[in-house]
Amino acid sequence: MKLAFSTLGVPGLPIPEVVRLAADHGYQGVELRAHPEEPVHPGLTMLQRADVVEEFKRGGIEILTVAGYVRAAAEGDDQPVLDELAGLIELARDLGARHVRVFPGGGDQDPATADATAARRLGAAAPFAADMGVRVLLETHDSHRAGADVARVAGAVGHGSIGALWDVMHTWLAGEEPAASHAVLAPHLGYVQVKDIASAEDTAPLALGAGVLPLRACLDTLDADSWVCWEYEKRWHPEAAELPGLLGAGREHLLRLGAPKQ
């Protein structure tokens, strides 16, 4: 199991410090939140992108994902969505990241309409992503919270450059058992995002193992070489404990859960 953490947990932290945190706490990768308020976003110049690459190379840490905010199923014209997605794909290519994260964002639309919109847009972007050596992952989130929801879209696209990102909180909130989530997502799965929360009503981030999410059951479904990323939502919950102080224990917890069973 290869471990990463998301910079959503360390809002605004400069890249050299992000790399240092990963290296000091034994994480092999980082999921970079791509947003104008963060150090990495599509507005970076080529020189700035090269500087980011050099920092990660120097630290021996992989950039796993550029986590964008494209909403693939959102109402409206396709072109602005496709343009935003293309910018994220190019950023990932320039940074050497494996993946781009996108959300469904279908809102209150009829599910079949939202599915069709997301599949059409992702299908249109797939050849470009393939040319760039990047895989676009649709996250289990918002309108497509269950694994079955995301699998419908990825399956409809039917292209290797379009896959799924399993956020274990959202599939749990959807009432889907981990084995069922994995069964439908496995053909499309890029990697897994883990986290922990107190309850369905209180989703503020907790230290891994301090909450109710079925992390062991989720990790039990994965291959030994799978990537697992801790998405600690500090940006949305400023009152939560600081992530740097939790990273070491979080890594040990995940490694214990993911250890081969006797």
Side-chain angles (χ1 to χ4, degrees), residues 215-236:
L215 300 182
R216 181 184 293 278
C218 293
L219 297 184
D220 278 349
T221 68
L222 303 181
D223 295 335
D225 62 348
S226 297
W227 276 96
V228 174
C229 178
W230 186 5
E231 188 189 48
Y232 185 81
E233 297 185 336
K234 175 70 172 177
R235 174 62 183 84
W236 315 128

PDB file of all heavy atoms in Angstrom, residues 215-236:
ATOM      1  N   LEU A 215     -12.939   1.813   7.743  1.00  0.00           N
ATOM      2  CA  LEU A 215     -11.689   1.886   6.991  1.00  0.00           C
ATOM      3  C   LEU A 215     -11.083   0.510   6.748  1.00  0.00           C
ATOM      4  O   LEU A 215     -10.580   0.230   5.658  1.00  0.00           O
ATOM      5  CB  LEU A 215     -10.701   2.792   7.726  1.00  0.00           C
ATOM      6  CG  LEU A 215     -11.157   4.246   7.930  1.00  0.00           C
ATOM      7  CD1 LEU A 215     -10.078   5.052   8.635  1.00  0.00           C
ATOM      8  CD2 LEU A 215     -11.538   4.886   6.603  1.00  0.00           C
ATOM      9  N   ARG A 216     -11.107  -0.353   7.754  1.00  0.00           N
ATOM     10  CA  ARG A 216     -10.528  -1.689   7.549  1.00  0.00           C
ATOM     11  C   ARG A 216     -11.264  -2.436   6.452  1.00  0.00           C
ATOM     12  O   ARG A 216     -10.640  -3.062   5.586  1.00  0.00           O
ATOM     13  CB  ARG A 216     -10.557  -2.509   8.844  1.00  0.00           C
ATOM     14  CG  ARG A 216      -9.927  -3.903   8.659  1.00  0.00           C
ATOM     15  CD  ARG A 216     -10.047  -4.752   9.902  1.00  0.00           C
ATOM     16  NE  ARG A 216      -9.250  -4.240  11.002  1.00  0.00           N
ATOM     17  CZ  ARG A 216      -7.947  -4.473  11.153  1.00  0.00           C
ATOM     18  NH1 ARG A 216      -7.286  -5.180  10.241  1.00  0.00           N
ATOM     19  NH2 ARG A 216      -7.301  -3.988  12.188  1.00  0.00           N
ATOM     20  N   ALA A 217     -12.587  -2.374   6.473  1.00  0.00           N
ATOM     21  CA  ALA A 217     -13.367  -3.084   5.458  1.00  0.00           C
ATOM     22  C   ALA A 217     -13.075  -2.546   4.064  1.00  0.00           C
ATOM     23  O   ALA A 217     -13.058  -3.307   3.089  1.00  0.00           O
ATOM     24  CB  ALA A 217     -14.854  -2.976   5.768  1.00  0.00           C
ATOM     25  N   CYS A 218     -12.831  -1.245   3.962  1.00  0.00           N
ATOM     26  CA  CYS A 218     -12.476  -0.671   2.667  1.00  0.00           C
ATOM     27  C   CYS A 218     -11.092  -1.135   2.223  1.00  0.00           C
ATOM     28  O   CYS A 218     -10.909  -1.577   1.080  1.00  0.00           O
ATOM     29  CB  CYS A 218     -12.520   0.855   2.742  1.00  0.00           C
ATOM     30  SG  CYS A 218     -14.171   1.544   2.996  1.00  0.00           S
ATOM     31  N   LEU A 219     -10.109  -1.048   3.116  1.00  0.00           N
ATOM     32  CA  LEU A 219      -8.746  -1.435   2.753  1.00  0.00           C
ATOM     33  C   LEU A 219      -8.645  -2.921   2.456  1.00  0.00           C
ATOM     34  O   LEU A 219      -7.812  -3.337   1.640  1.00  0.00           O
ATOM     35  CB  LEU A 219      -7.774  -1.039   3.860  1.00  0.00           C
ATOM     36  CG  LEU A 219      -7.637   0.458   4.142  1.00  0.00           C
ATOM     37  CD1 LEU A 219      -6.573   0.701   5.204  1.00  0.00           C
ATOM     38  CD2 LEU A 219      -7.322   1.237   2.877  1.00  0.00           C
ATOM     39  N   ASP A 220      -9.483  -3.719   3.092  1.00  0.00           N
ATOM     40  CA  ASP A 220      -9.462  -5.163   2.852  1.00  0.00           C
ATOM     41  C   ASP A 220      -9.796  -5.513   1.402  1.00  0.00           C
ATOM     42  O   ASP A 220      -9.449  -6.599   0.936  1.00  0.00           O
ATOM     43  CB  ASP A 220     -10.461  -5.878   3.776  1.00  0.00           C
ATOM     44  CG  ASP A 220      -9.905  -6.122   5.171  1.00  0.00           C
ATOM     45  OD1 ASP A 220      -8.685  -5.939   5.364  1.00  0.00           O
ATOM     46  OD2 ASP A 220     -10.695  -6.498   6.060  1.00  0.00           O
ATOM     47  N   THR A 221     -10.455  -4.619   0.693  1.00  0.00           N
ATOM     48  CA  THR A 221     -10.837  -4.905  -0.686  1.00  0.00           C
ATOM     49  C   THR A 221      -9.725  -4.608  -1.683  1.00  0.00           C
ATOM     50  O   THR A 221      -9.832  -4.980  -2.860  1.00  0.00           O
ATOM     51  CB  THR A 221     -12.070  -4.083  -1.093  1.00  0.00           C
ATOM     52  OG1 THR A 221     -11.719  -2.685  -1.155  1.00  0.00           O
ATOM     53  CG2 THR A 221     -13.230  -4.283  -0.136  1.00  0.00           C
ATOM     54  N   LEU A 222      -8.660  -3.946  -1.242  1.00  0.00           N
ATOM     55  CA  LEU A 222      -7.673  -3.396  -2.176  1.00  0.00           C
ATOM     56  C   LEU A 222      -6.496  -4.329  -2.410  1.00  0.00           C
ATOM     57  O   LEU A 222      -6.125  -5.119  -1.538  1.00  0.00           O
ATOM     58  CB  LEU A 222      -7.147  -2.056  -1.642  1.00  0.00           C
ATOM     59  CG  LEU A 222      -8.194  -0.971  -1.371  1.00  0.00           C
ATOM     60  CD1 LEU A 222      -7.516   0.285  -0.868  1.00  0.00           C
ATOM     61  CD2 LEU A 222      -9.023  -0.694  -2.618  1.00  0.00           C
ATOM     62  N   ASP A 223      -5.887  -4.186  -3.573  1.00  0.00           N
ATOM     63  CA  ASP A 223      -4.646  -4.890  -3.863  1.00  0.00           C
ATOM     64  C   ASP A 223      -3.513  -4.294  -3.031  1.00  0.00           C
ATOM     65  O   ASP A 223      -3.573  -3.129  -2.604  1.00  0.00           O
ATOM     66  CB  ASP A 223      -4.289  -4.766  -5.343  1.00  0.00           C
ATOM     67  CG  ASP A 223      -5.304  -5.461  -6.242  1.00  0.00           C
ATOM     68  OD1 ASP A 223      -5.968  -6.401  -5.750  1.00  0.00           O
ATOM     69  OD2 ASP A 223      -5.424  -5.056  -7.416  1.00  0.00           O
ATOM     70  N   ALA A 224      -2.463  -5.069  -2.859  1.00  0.00           N
ATOM     71  CA  ALA A 224      -1.358  -4.662  -1.980  1.00  0.00           C
ATOM     72  C   ALA A 224      -0.636  -3.412  -2.472  1.00  0.00           C
ATOM     73  O   ALA A 224      -0.064  -2.667  -1.673  1.00  0.00           O
ATOM     74  CB  ALA A 224      -0.360  -5.806  -1.835  1.00  0.00           C
ATOM     75  N   ASP A 225      -0.659  -3.151  -3.787  1.00  0.00           N
ATOM     76  CA  ASP A 225       0.079  -2.002  -4.323  1.00  0.00           C
ATOM     77  C   ASP A 225      -0.813  -0.796  -4.582  1.00  0.00           C
ATOM     78  O   ASP A 225      -0.426   0.139  -5.290  1.00  0.00           O
ATOM     79  CB  ASP A 225       0.810  -2.395  -5.603  1.00  0.00           C
ATOM     80  CG  ASP A 225      -0.147  -2.836  -6.704  1.00  0.00           C
ATOM     81  OD1 ASP A 225      -1.337  -3.050  -6.408  1.00  0.00           O
ATOM     82  OD2 ASP A 225       0.309  -2.974  -7.860  1.00  0.00           O
ATOM     83  N   SER A 226      -2.007  -0.787  -3.988  1.00  0.00           N
ATOM     84  CA  SER A 226      -2.954   0.311  -4.211  1.00  0.00           C
ATOM     85  C   SER A 226      -2.480   1.597  -3.531  1.00  0.00           C
ATOM     86  O   SER A 226      -1.840   1.567  -2.478  1.00  0.00           O
ATOM     87  CB  SER A 226      -4.332  -0.061  -3.651  1.00  0.00           C
ATOM     88  OG  SER A 226      -4.869  -1.178  -4.313  1.00  0.00           O
ATOM     89  N   TRP A 227      -2.844   2.724  -4.135  1.00  0.00           N
ATOM     90  CA  TRP A 227      -2.649   4.022  -3.504  1.00  0.00           C
ATOM     91  C   TRP A 227      -3.840   4.330  -2.601  1.00  0.00           C
ATOM     92  O   TRP A 227      -5.001   4.119  -2.983  1.00  0.00           O
ATOM     93  CB  TRP A 227      -2.533   5.132  -4.549  1.00  0.00           C
ATOM     94  CG  TRP A 227      -1.164   5.308  -5.121  1.00  0.00           C
ATOM     95  CD1 TRP A 227      -0.693   4.776  -6.296  1.00  0.00           C
ATOM     96  CD2 TRP A 227      -0.101   6.088  -4.573  1.00  0.00           C
ATOM     97  NE1 TRP A 227       0.606   5.164  -6.492  1.00  0.00           N
ATOM     98  CE2 TRP A 227       0.991   5.976  -5.454  1.00  0.00           C
ATOM     99  CE3 TRP A 227       0.031   6.858  -3.422  1.00  0.00           C
ATOM    100  CZ2 TRP A 227       2.208   6.619  -5.232  1.00  0.00           C
ATOM    101  CZ3 TRP A 227       1.248   7.500  -3.197  1.00  0.00           C
ATOM    102  CH2 TRP A 227       2.321   7.384  -4.073  1.00  0.00           C
ATOM    103  N   VAL A 228      -3.537   4.856  -1.417  1.00  0.00           N
ATOM    104  CA  VAL A 228      -4.548   5.293  -0.458  1.00  0.00           C
ATOM    105  C   VAL A 228      -4.181   6.713  -0.026  1.00  0.00           C
ATOM    106  O   VAL A 228      -3.047   6.956   0.413  1.00  0.00           O
ATOM    107  CB  VAL A 228      -4.619   4.353   0.756  1.00  0.00           C
ATOM    108  CG1 VAL A 228      -5.560   4.903   1.814  1.00  0.00           C
ATOM    109  CG2 VAL A 228      -5.046   2.954   0.324  1.00  0.00           C
ATOM    110  N   CYS A 229      -5.115   7.634  -0.163  1.00  0.00           N
ATOM    111  CA  CYS A 229      -4.856   9.042   0.150  1.00  0.00           C
ATOM    112  C   CYS A 229      -5.749   9.505   1.293  1.00  0.00           C
ATOM    113  O   CYS A 229      -6.972   9.328   1.248  1.00  0.00           O
ATOM    114  CB  CYS A 229      -5.103   9.899  -1.094  1.00  0.00           C
ATOM    115  SG  CYS A 229      -4.866  11.672  -0.821  1.00  0.00           S
ATOM    116  N   TRP A 230      -5.130  10.123   2.302  1.00  0.00           N
ATOM    117  CA  TRP A 230      -5.885  10.693   3.409  1.00  0.00           C
ATOM    118  C   TRP A 230      -6.333  12.100   3.039  1.00  0.00           C
ATOM    119  O   TRP A 230      -5.512  13.009   2.894  1.00  0.00           O
ATOM    120  CB  TRP A 230      -5.016  10.722   4.673  1.00  0.00           C
ATOM    121  CG  TRP A 230      -5.738  11.171   5.912  1.00  0.00           C
ATOM    122  CD1 TRP A 230      -7.051  11.461   6.052  1.00  0.00           C
ATOM    123  CD2 TRP A 230      -5.157  11.363   7.201  1.00  0.00           C
ATOM    124  NE1 TRP A 230      -7.343  11.827   7.349  1.00  0.00           N
ATOM    125  CE2 TRP A 230      -6.198  11.775   8.077  1.00  0.00           C
ATOM    126  CE3 TRP A 230      -3.862  11.225   7.707  1.00  0.00           C
ATOM    127  CZ2 TRP A 230      -5.964  12.055   9.417  1.00  0.00           C
ATOM    128  CZ3 TRP A 230      -3.632  11.511   9.045  1.00  0.00           C
ATOM    129  CH2 TRP A 230      -4.673  11.913   9.897  1.00  0.00           C
ATOM    130  N   GLU A 231      -7.640  12.271   2.880  1.00  0.00           N
ATOM    131  CA  GLU A 231      -8.207  13.591   2.619  1.00  0.00           C
ATOM    132  C   GLU A 231      -8.796  14.125   3.923  1.00  0.00           C
ATOM    133  O   GLU A 231      -9.907  13.779   4.311  1.00  0.00           O
ATOM    134  CB  GLU A 231      -9.281  13.539   1.535  1.00  0.00           C
ATOM    135  CG  GLU A 231      -9.728  14.940   1.138  1.00  0.00           C
ATOM    136  CD  GLU A 231     -10.942  14.951   0.233  1.00  0.00           C
ATOM    137  OE1 GLU A 231     -11.932  14.247   0.537  1.00  0.00           O
ATOM    138  OE2 GLU A 231     -10.922  15.687  -0.770  1.00  0.00           O
ATOM    139  N   TYR A 232      -8.043  14.975   4.582  1.00  0.00           N
ATOM    140  CA  TYR A 232      -8.437  15.582   5.850  1.00  0.00           C
ATOM    141  C   TYR A 232      -8.965  16.981   5.533  1.00  0.00           C
ATOM    142  O   TYR A 232      -8.212  17.854   5.085  1.00  0.00           O
ATOM    143  CB  TYR A 232      -7.214  15.635   6.771  1.00  0.00           C
ATOM    144  CG  TYR A 232      -7.452  16.121   8.170  1.00  0.00           C
ATOM    145  CD1 TYR A 232      -7.952  15.270   9.153  1.00  0.00           C
ATOM    146  CD2 TYR A 232      -7.128  17.426   8.538  1.00  0.00           C
ATOM    147  CE1 TYR A 232      -8.135  15.706  10.458  1.00  0.00           C
ATOM    148  CE2 TYR A 232      -7.306  17.873   9.839  1.00  0.00           C
ATOM    149  CZ  TYR A 232      -7.811  17.010  10.792  1.00  0.00           C
ATOM    150  OH  TYR A 232      -7.988  17.446  12.089  1.00  0.00           O
ATOM    151  N   GLU A 233     -10.248  17.213   5.758  1.00  0.00           N
ATOM    152  CA  GLU A 233     -10.912  18.404   5.236  1.00  0.00           C
ATOM    153  C   GLU A 233     -10.741  19.626   6.150  1.00  0.00           C
ATOM    154  O   GLU A 233     -11.715  20.299   6.526  1.00  0.00           O
ATOM    155  CB  GLU A 233     -12.377  18.095   4.958  1.00  0.00           C
ATOM    156  CG  GLU A 233     -12.534  17.026   3.878  1.00  0.00           C
ATOM    157  CD  GLU A 233     -13.975  16.774   3.487  1.00  0.00           C
ATOM    158  OE1 GLU A 233     -14.880  17.039   4.300  1.00  0.00           O
ATOM    159  OE2 GLU A 233     -14.200  16.312   2.360  1.00  0.00           O
ATOM    160  N   LYS A 234      -9.521  19.942   6.451  1.00  0.00           N
ATOM    161  CA  LYS A 234      -9.208  21.090   7.306  1.00  0.00           C
ATOM    162  C   LYS A 234      -9.691  22.406   6.678  1.00  0.00           C
ATOM    163  O   LYS A 234     -10.148  23.305   7.398  1.00  0.00           O
ATOM    164  CB  LYS A 234      -7.702  21.145   7.548  1.00  0.00           C
ATOM    165  CG  LYS A 234      -7.197  22.348   8.309  1.00  0.00           C
ATOM    166  CD  LYS A 234      -7.609  22.320   9.767  1.00  0.00           C
ATOM    167  CE  LYS A 234      -6.898  23.446  10.533  1.00  0.00           C
ATOM    168  NZ  LYS A 234      -7.320  23.499  11.950  1.00  0.00           N
ATOM    169  N   ARG A 235      -9.605  22.534   5.372  1.00  0.00           N
ATOM    170  CA  ARG A 235     -10.006  23.774   4.708  1.00  0.00           C
ATOM    171  C   ARG A 235     -11.455  24.129   5.021  1.00  0.00           C
ATOM    172  O   ARG A 235     -11.810  25.301   5.161  1.00  0.00           O
ATOM    173  CB  ARG A 235      -9.803  23.641   3.188  1.00  0.00           C
ATOM    174  CG  ARG A 235     -10.322  24.822   2.374  1.00  0.00           C
ATOM    175  CD  ARG A 235      -9.585  26.112   2.731  1.00  0.00           C
ATOM    176  NE  ARG A 235     -10.113  27.254   2.010  1.00  0.00           N
ATOM    177  CZ  ARG A 235     -11.167  27.975   2.382  1.00  0.00           C
ATOM    178  NH1 ARG A 235     -11.847  27.651   3.479  1.00  0.00           N
ATOM    179  NH2 ARG A 235     -11.549  29.016   1.666  1.00  0.00           N
ATOM    180  N   TRP A 236     -12.321  23.121   5.129  1.00  0.00           N
ATOM    181  CA  TRP A 236     -13.738  23.367   5.380  1.00  0.00           C
ATOM    182  C   TRP A 236     -14.070  23.350   6.874  1.00  0.00           C
ATOM    183  O   TRP A 236     -15.185  23.701   7.251  1.00  0.00           O
ATOM    184  CB  TRP A 236     -14.596  22.329   4.664  1.00  0.00           C
ATOM    185  CG  TRP A 236     -14.161  22.077   3.256  1.00  0.00           C
ATOM    186  CD1 TRP A 236     -13.880  20.877   2.673  1.00  0.00           C
ATOM    187  CD2 TRP A 236     -13.936  23.066   2.234  1.00  0.00           C
ATOM    188  NE1 TRP A 236     -13.499  21.048   1.371  1.00  0.00           N
ATOM    189  CE2 TRP A 236     -13.528  22.385   1.069  1.00  0.00           C
ATOM    190  CE3 TRP A 236     -14.045  24.460   2.197  1.00  0.00           C
ATOM    191  CZ2 TRP A 236     -13.216  23.044  -0.120  1.00  0.00           C
ATOM    192  CZ3 TRP A 236     -13.732  25.124   1.014  1.00  0.00           C
ATOM    193  CH2 TRP A 236     -13.332  24.416  -0.121  1.00  0.00           C
TER     194      TRP A 236
END
